[in-house]
Amino acid sequence: QVRLAESGGGSVQVGGSLKLSCTASGVLYNNYCMGWFRQAPGKEREGVAVISSGGGTYYYANSLKGRFSVSQNVPKNTLYLQMNRLEVEDTAMYYCAADWRYGDYCLPNFAGFGIWGQGTQVTVSS
């Protein structure tokens, strides 16, 4: 069974930066897609960024391009999300997700994730 553990959340002021981490453990596969999602209070969960194990597939939510950057350390089974120039609207619970069913490929529109972490809270204040 695969487990995902997020870390790195916290409180930051507008304009600040945070770097989230997500480490996978358990029964792992060589080819996968991993991604970041977020859910703000009273809002639906939305996709933030995804990346495939080989790095050949990656994309971001259009509204976050240029401020957020997804990366990974494959030997450490760790996914990262660098968040810069944070805004109050970025306040949310951030979740890591993964799926091995499609190999080294991420489905479009942030679809196809079957494994989820518990989340890490990011709070941005003015």
Side-chain angles (χ1 to χ4, degrees):
Q1 183 176 1
V2 177
R3 291 174 295 277
L4 302 175
E6 302 96 334
S7 61
S11 297
V12 64
Q13 291 191 324
V14 170
S17 298
L18 281 174
K19 186 173 184 177
L20 306 183
S21 300
C22 171
T23 301
S25 61
V27 179
L28 303 177
Y29 298 89
N30 292 329
N31 299 310
Y32 55 82
C33 177
M34 292 187 73
W36 289 100
F37 292 74
R38 69 184 185 182
Q39 187 167 20
K43 295 186 177 181
E44 293 186 355
R45 186 176 63 197
E46 62 176 346
V48 173
V50 304
I51 188 167
S52 61
S53 52
T57 305
Y58 64 93
Y59 55 84
Y60 299 86
N62 288 335
S63 61
L64 301 176
K65 285 181 182 178
R67 293 196 301 122
F68 287 17
S69 177
V70 65
S71 62
Q72 60 186 341
N73 185 323
V74 174
K76 292 187 176 181
N77 299 314
T78 301
L79 180 74
Y80 303 100
L81 183 69
Q82 177 69 47
M83 305 185 294
N84 299 323
R85 302 193 305 279
L86 284 162
E87 303 170 354
V88 172
E89 292 73 23
D90 295 319
T91 295
M93 184 71 79
Y94 284 71
Y95 297 93
C96 174
D99 208 283
W100 277 256
R101 292 174 291 177
Y102 310 103
D104 181 21
Y105 177 72
C106 295
L107 295 181
N109 301 314
F110 296 99
F113 287 93
I115 302 168
W116 295 84
Q118 295 298 308
T120 184
Q121 178 68 37
V122 171
T123 302
V124 185
S125 58
S126 58

